[in-house]
Amino acid sequence: MNRQGPDDTTEPTLSPLRPVALALCALSAAMVVLSLVSDGNAFSDSWWLAAFVLWLLLWGTLRSMTRGIAERPVAGLDERERGLRDRVSFIGYQCAVGAGMAVVLLMVAFQDEPAVIERMPALLTTLMLTSSALPSILLGLSGARVENAESYPDE
């Protein structure tokens, strides 16, 4: 006997957040590699600059798609949404601190090698941008239902 009803609403709907979040992760990794292999300062490398512009566009898109949780006033969030927002914000903060420390340690370890030191600003920029985008990336990858922020009035 088949117990399935005619209503198959239990299938998950594919969210456009996940592909954008994954693309942003891949582009961040590519930017780290480009900043490390560039000849001299990556800010003058056309590949890194093109990746940077594309990164900003993807991040802006993802940020606007996750505004429902990321920017809604606390009073407009339920307990699960508030916990999710707090958790991803904390992870982003911890990654920013770790990334900054990693760059400082690299600079100390390679202080006598100007070619390596010259690459650090682009590496630091890439890691800090990725850390600042990490909450939006995690919201996009979580599959959490994210409503539009405009549908909730400020409280």
Side-chain angles (χ1 to χ4, degrees):
M1 179 183 279
N2 188 357
R3 292 186 172 227
Q4 286 182 334
D7 186 21
D8 290 333
T9 58
T10 58
E11 289 186 28
T13 58
L14 294 177
S15 170
L17 292 172
R18 184 162 286 168
V20 176
L22 289 172
L24 199 55
C25 289
L27 193 55
S28 292
M31 287 175 64
V32 167
V33 171
L34 287 171
S35 67
L36 292 173
V37 299
S38 65
D39 291 333
N41 189 344
F43 286 102
S44 61
D45 183 53
S46 59
W47 287 104
W48 189 89
L49 288 173
F52 176 66
V53 170
L54 181 58
W55 190 95
L56 288 174
L57 291 172
L58 282 173
W59 179 64
T61 301
L62 185 63
R63 184 74 180 154
S64 70
M65 293 167 74
T66 58
R67 285 179 57 190
I69 290 179
E71 295 179 10
R72 193 176 325 142
V74 174
L77 297 172
D78 64 22
E79 189 174 319
R80 180 194 59 82
E81 291 171 331
R82 190 173 27 248
L84 180 61
R85 180 169 72 178
D86 290 347
R87 186 176 28 227
V88 298
S89 296
F90 179 75
I91 291 169
Y93 171 76
Q94 293 299 319
C95 287
V97 170
M101 289 306 300
V103 170
V104 167
L105 291 174
L106 281 172
M107 290 177 71
V108 168
F110 295 102
Q111 63 186 333
D112 295 329
E113 297 184 36
V116 175
I117 296 297
E118 196 173 57
R119 294 180 177 120
M120 290 301 115
L123 179 63
L124 181 62
T125 300
T126 301
L127 293 176
M128 288 296 115
L129 285 173
T130 302
S131 296
S132 69
L134 198 54
S136 295
I137 291 170
L138 291 173
L139 284 173
L141 293 175
S142 72
R145 196 171 138 232
V146 181
E147 292 88 8
N148 192 354
E150 282 83 26
S151 62
Y152 295 93
D154 290 339
E155 297 167 4

